[in-house]
Amino acid sequence: MRRTELFFSRRIRQTGAIPGDSRFRRASMLLCSLLMLMLSACNSISPKETTVSEKGESNFKTELPKKVQEFATPDRLKALDTQEVFQYRLGPGDMISIQVWRRPELSQEGILVSPDGFLSVPRIGNVQVLGMTVAEVKALVTSKLEFFYIEPEVTIRVQQFHNNKAFVLGRVSKPGVVNFPGKGTLLEALALAGGIPDQNKDTSLTKCAIIRGNDIIIWIDLQDLLRNGNMALNAPVRNNDVIYIPESSDEMVYVLGEVQTPGAIQIRSGMTVLKAVMLAGGINKNADPEKVFVIRQQTLKGDVIRVNLKSLLEKGDFSQNFNLMANDIVYVSPGGMTKLNYSIEKILPSMQILNLGVGQSSFIYGTP
């Protein structure tokens, strides 16, 4: 700004104008106009709305918007559950009981399946049972005992189940390993992990992931499952599945522009544009309530839509009070007078070199 003042002062002296005459006033007003244009060109951010289709369709809706990642539908969950009839399969840590009728020397309880899947059976030795059902193990043990006994009657019972498990991680009360005595489900896994802590009205509860194997990730809409009671989303859990619930603090929206306290806000239940603006302290006196923009990244190129808060407040038009998603940006634009005041504030230091007369100076500086 100092360089600007020296430049304009030098230019005025080159014109030969004397302070107080008409040429000086014309030169001063011309330079002020140029400064106004230069500063107005350096105004604040001005988002451009995303072009919508002729039908007026938009990705922004007043109901809960479509998520960036696709949630699994009930049909997809059925397609992933290929096991028509659940059959428990033995694995490391399971405890087995073997009873042979009228053969107490062969009967034994508390036999553990070794980490490599072997079962130590009296008279027979080690038998590989990893991934086998109880019926298959019974047939195998019976066939081996037939070399020593005539028609042995074998009964096998699982005393402790440890091979039907899931790993529950993230936002649960007791993260860790949970075991199922039968066919496990997502709700059963969450219950065995102690449930979800701090589940109140301000808690954002939206999704969880079921990681199966090396190439399958199933996203479940927890809000639809738990709050709307859509039990079709209660996905079956297989052995060694990983269930992950993201922390609510990981999901933020960002409020910028002419608000009292701009910054990042943690998403809460039912986070709308109006709620986000109010959590940022509301709009300040410099804001233009007719030009509030929501920027959302659906793909590499985001979408921008304009929200008229003035119409919402004056007419009760809540059609644009959109539900926000994680990483949405809410920008409140400054008003036209704000830009003019900003330009005047930048011009005033330069006006000190322009003596426009007593009347003009009194108007600009407010002196009597």
Side-chain angles (χ1 to χ4, degrees):
M1 186 57 67
R2 180 61 181 168
R3 293 182 179 179
T4 304
E5 295 174 357
L6 293 175
F7 170 77
F8 286 127
S9 179
R10 189 181 303 114
R11 296 298 297 171
I12 291 174
R13 287 196 299 269
Q14 290 175 358
T15 62
I18 301 174
D21 66 4
S22 60
R23 288 190 302 166
F24 185 85
R25 291 192 182 93
R26 286 195 297 269
S28 300
M29 295 304 294
L30 177 60
L31 293 177
C32 288
S33 301
L34 291 175
L35 271 173
M36 279 274 194
L37 292 174
M38 293 170 59
L39 291 173
S40 62
C42 302
N43 55 14
S44 58
I45 302 172
S46 297
K48 295 182 179 180
E49 295 181 59
T50 304
T51 303
V52 298
S53 62
E54 296 180 356
K55 298 180 179 179
E57 297 177 354
S58 173
N59 289 332
F60 289 82
K61 300 183 182 299
T62 54
E63 63 270 12
L64 188 66
K66 183 179 179 181
K67 307 297 185 298
V68 175
Q69 78 281 331
E70 293 185 358
F71 286 137
T73 62
D75 293 336
R76 174 170 169 76
L77 293 178
K78 290 181 180 180
L80 291 173
D81 186 21
T82 57
Q83 298 177 352
E84 296 181 358
V85 179
F86 175 74
Q87 291 182 312
Y88 184 81
R89 297 185 178 275
L90 298 179
D94 286 338
M95 184 176 291
I96 307 300
S97 169
I98 297 178
Q99 299 293 328
V100 183
W101 187 59
R102 289 187 177 182
R103 299 291 179 182
E105 70 277 8
L106 299 179
S107 301
Q108 189 174 354
E109 294 188 357
I111 308 175
L112 287 176
V113 179
S114 64
D116 53 356
F118 282 92
L119 188 68
S120 180
V121 181
R123 187 74 178 177
I124 299 176
N126 291 332
V127 179
Q128 177 62 256
V129 297
L130 182 64
M132 299 177 64
T133 65
V134 174
E136 292 171 345
V137 174
K138 176 182 177 180
L140 177 62
V141 173
T142 301
S143 64
K144 291 183 176 295
L145 288 177
E146 285 178 346
F147 288 99
F148 308 100
Y149 306 97
I150 299 174
E151 297 182 356
E153 296 184 14
V154 180
T155 301
I156 295 181
R157 181 172 59 91
V158 180
Q159 293 179 301
Q160 294 183 11
F161 299 86
H162 292 284
N163 194 44
N164 195 22
K165 61 185 180 297
F167 306 91
V168 185
L169 307 175
R171 190 173 147 217
V172 290
S173 297
K174 297 184 295 183
V177 181
V178 295
N179 293 279
F180 306 105
K183 186 176 182 180
T185 62
L186 175 59
L187 288 181
E188 186 177 359
L190 296 180
L192 291 173
I196 300 173
D198 300 328
Q199 186 175 348
N200 52 44
K201 62 180 181 180
D202 288 332
T203 301
S204 175
L205 184 66
T206 57
K207 59 189 176 183
C208 79
I210 299 177
I211 305 171
R212 181 168 297 166
N214 298 324
D215 55 356
I216 297 178
I217 299 180
I218 309 167
W219 283 100
I220 304 296
D221 189 346
L222 282 183
Q223 186 164 359
D224 193 14
L225 172 61
L226 298 180
R227 294 184 178 171
N228 300 333
N230 187 359
M231 297 306 296
L233 299 179
N234 188 22
V237 177
R238 294 185 187 177
N239 187 31
N240 293 322
D241 277 355
V242 177
I243 301 172
Y244 174 69
I245 302 178
E247 294 289 341
S248 60
S249 58
D250 296 339
E251 299 183 337
M252 312 289 288
V253 295
Y254 308 94
V255 184
L256 308 175
E258 302 298 329
V259 292
Q260 299 294 341
T261 55
I265 298 175
Q266 180 179 331
I267 285 188
R268 299 180 181 179
S269 178
M271 177 69 76
T272 62
V273 177
L274 181 60
K275 188 173 184 179
V277 171
M278 295 310 297
L279 288 174
I283 61 177
N284 58 34
K285 62 181 181 180
N286 299 323
D288 184 355
E290 296 183 356
K291 292 183 179 180
V292 178
F293 296 91
V294 178
I295 300 96
R296 175 171 301 165
Q297 182 180 358
Q298 297 280 21
T299 58
L300 292 178
K301 185 176 181 180
D303 295 327
V304 180
I305 191 168
R306 176 176 168 180
V307 178
N308 190 339
L309 279 184
K310 182 178 180 181
S311 177
L312 187 151
L313 297 175
E314 291 183 351
K315 302 178 182 179
D317 181 12
F318 286 88
S319 61
Q320 293 183 326
N321 193 27
F322 306 109
N323 282 294
L324 298 178
M325 289 172 47
N327 299 319
D328 277 356
I329 300 173
V330 180
Y331 176 72
V332 181
S333 300
M337 290 303 297
T338 303
K339 299 177 183 179
L340 178 61
N341 293 335
Y342 172 82
S343 301
I344 292 176
E345 289 175 0
K346 296 299 181 181
I347 288 174
L348 284 178
S350 301
M351 297 289 283
Q352 295 176 359
I353 66 171
L354 304 177
N355 184 4
L356 301 181
V358 177
Q360 288 83 351
S361 298
S362 300
F363 175 76
I364 294 175
Y365 294 102
T367 57

